[in-house]
C-alpha cells in the first residue's frame, strides 16, 4: 500500500512546486489614458511586478538584410501582482 501512495504523494508535491514558478502581473498604462483592457504579464518568481516600468510589443520585420525585431507601441506602465 505504501508503494502506491508514496509515488502519488511525490507527484502531487512536484505539481504544487512547479505551479509556483511564475507570477502574473496586472499592468495599467501611466503615460496615456488606460483603454480598459486587461493587461497581464507572466513573469518568473525572480522578478517583482513593481519593477516593470515599460511594456510593449515586438514586431518581426524581414528585409533584404535578414530578420529583426522592432519594438512598437511602447508605454510606461504601473504593475502590481494580479493576486492582490
Amino acid at each position: 500500500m505504501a508503494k502506491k501512495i508514496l509515488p502519488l504523494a511525490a507527484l502531487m508535491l512536484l505539481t504544487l512546486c512547479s505551479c509556483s514558478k511564475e507570477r502574473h502581473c496586472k499592468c495599467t498604462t501611466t503615460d496615456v489614458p488606460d483603454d480598459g483592457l486587461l493587461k497581464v504579464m507572466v513573469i518568473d518568481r525572480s522578478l517583482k511586478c513593481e519593477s516593470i516600468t515599460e511594456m510593449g510589443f515586438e514586431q518581426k520585420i524581414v528585409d533584404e538584410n535578414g530578420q529583426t525585431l522592432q519594438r512598437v507601441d511602447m508605454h510606461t506602465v504601473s504593475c502590481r501582482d494580479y493576486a492582490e
Side-chain angles (χ1 to χ4, degrees), residues 21-29 37-45 47-58 73-83:
K21 291 184 180 179
E22 62 185 30
R23 177 179 300 173
H24 295 79
C25 299
K26 180 180 177 182
C27 301
T28 56
T29 56
L37 297 175
L38 184 63
K39 297 169 197 64
V40 177
M41 183 180 295
V42 179
I43 60 174
D44 64 357
R45 282 282 182 192
L47 296 172
K48 293 183 179 180
C49 293
E50 294 81 17
S51 300
I52 300 171
T53 57
E54 282 190 327
M55 184 180 211
F57 296 97
E58 288 186 340
D73 202 23
M74 295 295 292
H75 292 289
T76 306
V77 293
S78 172
C79 299
R80 64 179 176 86
D81 200 339
Y82 189 64

Side-chain angles (χ1 to χ4, degrees), residues 15-37:
T15 303
L16 290 174
C17 292
S18 66
C19 292
S20 66
K21 291 184 180 179
E22 62 185 30
R23 177 179 300 173
H24 295 79
C25 299
K26 180 180 177 182
C27 301
T28 56
T29 56
T30 57
D31 59 343
V32 294
D34 194 37
D35 56 6
L37 297 175

Side-chain angles (χ1 to χ4, degrees), residues 53-72:
T53 57
E54 282 190 327
M55 184 180 211
F57 296 97
E58 288 186 340
Q59 194 173 42
K60 181 176 153 182
I61 297 176
V62 180
D63 58 6
E64 61 274 355
N65 298 328
Q67 299 179 8
T68 185
L69 292 175
Q70 179 182 11
R71 292 183 180 157
V72 295

